[in-house]
Amino acid sequence: MAIFLRESDINGLASMDTAIDAVERAFRLQGEEKAHIAPRRRCRMEKGMLHLMSASLPPLGYAGLKSYTSVSGANRFVVLLYEGDGRLAAVMEADRLGQLRTGAASAVATRFMAREDASRLGVFGAGGQARAQIEAICAVRPITEVTVYSRTADRLKEFCRETAEATGIGVVPAGSPEAAVRGQDIVVTATTSAEPVFKGEWLAAGTHINAVGSNFLTRREIDGETVRRSACVIVDSLEQARMECGDLALAAREEAFYWEDARELGLVVVGEFPGREDAAEITLFESQGVALEDVALAAEIYKRALEAGTGEKLPF
């Protein structure tokens, strides 16, 4: 019998370390060509959008889909997880799950692409996704200081205070976008911006970038110079990136980037493509967010729920 898991259940069953392990396992299967992803599709609603994406991980015995709505500024997420025999295993509220898996994808990219001694992190954005990014990256690199920039200045100080308390690491507000980039070892963009949030000329040699907000062709968090300077451009799914990555699509239009040079994260995880060849390289991970990540983490949460006896039984 299928079970229903609420946000409170997810919080009790899944940690960032859990998410990183699950997501890395999923990308390893992608690199081995043992996973399948159906890119996100969007349907217009009267006051917003319905989004649908799916994936299967046959070696793990699970498949699933995530659907969510964006209406009047509110997002509502749900994941349906299926077992290999086709039976519905679980229905999950998926706001926290989504934050965890997006953070975990950046952590996996950071583990394989950032310098091992990277200790300074610059972040754009002051929402739930930005906090999950900080939590995830701190789990895989020895971060000692985080600098955060947000256009919402009144929210920024509170975000820095709360995140510092949660991580035990110094988190300070940046007075300008440039302050969040200059001298940083890792830069994260977790915004909904339609325009680049920093200039590529500000990046120091050896910086790794996780760009997680540009999943519409009309959104652009990073400029063409950032892409042009990147020796390595990695995406979570080439098919989905071509459909919705504004950062890369617009850079390609400016001839600062060629799609033939991009590779999927799975190939980096299995060692078929290097995430970094030199300490001075600038590297870029473009994260659109794929259902592969949702299904992998949902499967782990489901197994833990069964062990803990957590979840409400559904009548089908």
Side-chain angles (χ1 to χ4, degrees):
M1 182 175 289
I3 60 172
F4 175 59
L5 297 173
R6 301 180 183 276
E7 292 289 350
S8 57
D9 298 317
I10 305 299
N11 286 328
L13 293 166
S15 66
M16 184 57 75
D17 287 340
T18 301
I20 293 171
D21 289 345
V23 169
E24 182 171 335
R25 188 180 309 117
F27 279 112
R28 188 170 297 279
L29 291 174
Q30 181 197 50
E32 295 171 350
E33 299 184 351
K34 296 177 181 178
H36 307 278
I37 302 173
R40 180 169 20 227
R41 294 292 190 269
R42 308 182 196 269
C43 295
R44 292 196 177 276
M45 301 170 63
E46 183 179 358
K47 297 182 179 180
M49 197 84 72
L50 169 67
H51 317 257
L52 181 66
M53 52 207 296
S54 62
S56 65
L57 296 162
L60 301 185
Y62 292 99
L65 62 88
K66 179 165 78 174
S67 66
Y68 62 102
T69 56
S70 304
V71 178
S72 302
N75 298 315
R76 298 171 177 85
F77 304 88
V78 64
V79 165
L80 275 65
L81 181 71
Y82 293 88
E83 297 194 63
D85 61 6
R87 289 183 297 177
L88 180 66
V91 178
M92 304 182 189
E93 292 183 333
D95 187 14
R96 178 57 176 164
L97 187 155
Q99 292 174 8
L100 285 169
R101 64 78 142 147
T102 305
S106 290
V108 174
T110 299
R111 176 176 281 165
F112 286 89
M113 299 176 68
R115 301 193 329 268
E116 291 189 6
D117 64 349
S119 62
R120 294 167 297 181
L121 171 62
V123 177
F124 287 82
Q129 288 287 4
R131 180 174 287 110
Q133 290 288 312
I134 294 170
E135 181 185 357
I137 291 166
C138 287
V140 297
R141 283 296 183 269
I143 302 300
T144 58
E145 180 180 303
V146 182
T147 306
V148 184
Y149 179 80
S150 173
R151 291 175 297 182
T152 312
D154 56 342
R155 170 72 181 122
L156 180 56
K157 288 185 178 180
E158 181 183 359
F159 174 88
C160 290
R161 179 184 59 79
E162 292 175 349
T163 307
E165 289 178 358
T167 61
I169 295 170
V171 182
V172 298
S176 67
E178 189 170 356
V181 176
R182 292 270 187 197
Q184 305 296 340
D185 301 316
I186 301 171
V187 173
V188 169
T189 57
T191 76
T192 57
S193 180
E195 300 293 335
V197 296
F198 68 85
K199 295 182 179 181
E201 64 194 54
W202 298 341
L203 291 163
T207 304
H208 171 65
I209 306 145
N210 293 311
V212 308
S214 175
N215 59 6
F216 279 86
L217 291 177
T218 54
R219 288 182 184 172
R220 190 180 198 183
E221 293 185 300
I222 62 176
D223 62 7
E225 179 65 7
T226 296
V227 182
R228 187 192 66 78
R229 294 187 66 194
S230 297
C232 180
V233 178
I234 301 298
V235 299
D236 42 18
S237 162
L238 274 169
E239 184 179 5
Q240 188 161 313
R242 282 179 173 272
M243 292 170 58
E244 61 182 34
C245 183
D247 288 341
L248 296 183
L250 293 170
R253 186 181 303 173
E254 296 165 356
E255 297 186 349
F257 164 75
Y258 299 94
W259 283 106
E260 293 78 9
D261 295 331
R263 296 293 186 276
E264 291 183 330
L265 183 56
L267 294 179
V268 177
V269 172
V270 299
E272 288 194 20
F273 189 81
R276 172 176 293 274
E277 294 186 288
D278 188 280
E281 286 183 343
I282 292 174
T283 56
L284 170 63
F285 173 55
E286 280 285 352
S287 175
Q288 268 55 68
V290 292
L292 183 77
E293 303 154 6
D294 297 292
V295 174
L297 181 53
E300 183 60 33
I301 291 170
Y302 171 65
K303 289 185 287 185
R304 293 183 175 216
L306 293 183
E307 292 172 0
T310 302
E312 302 170 33
K313 293 183 178 180
L314 295 173
F316 57 88

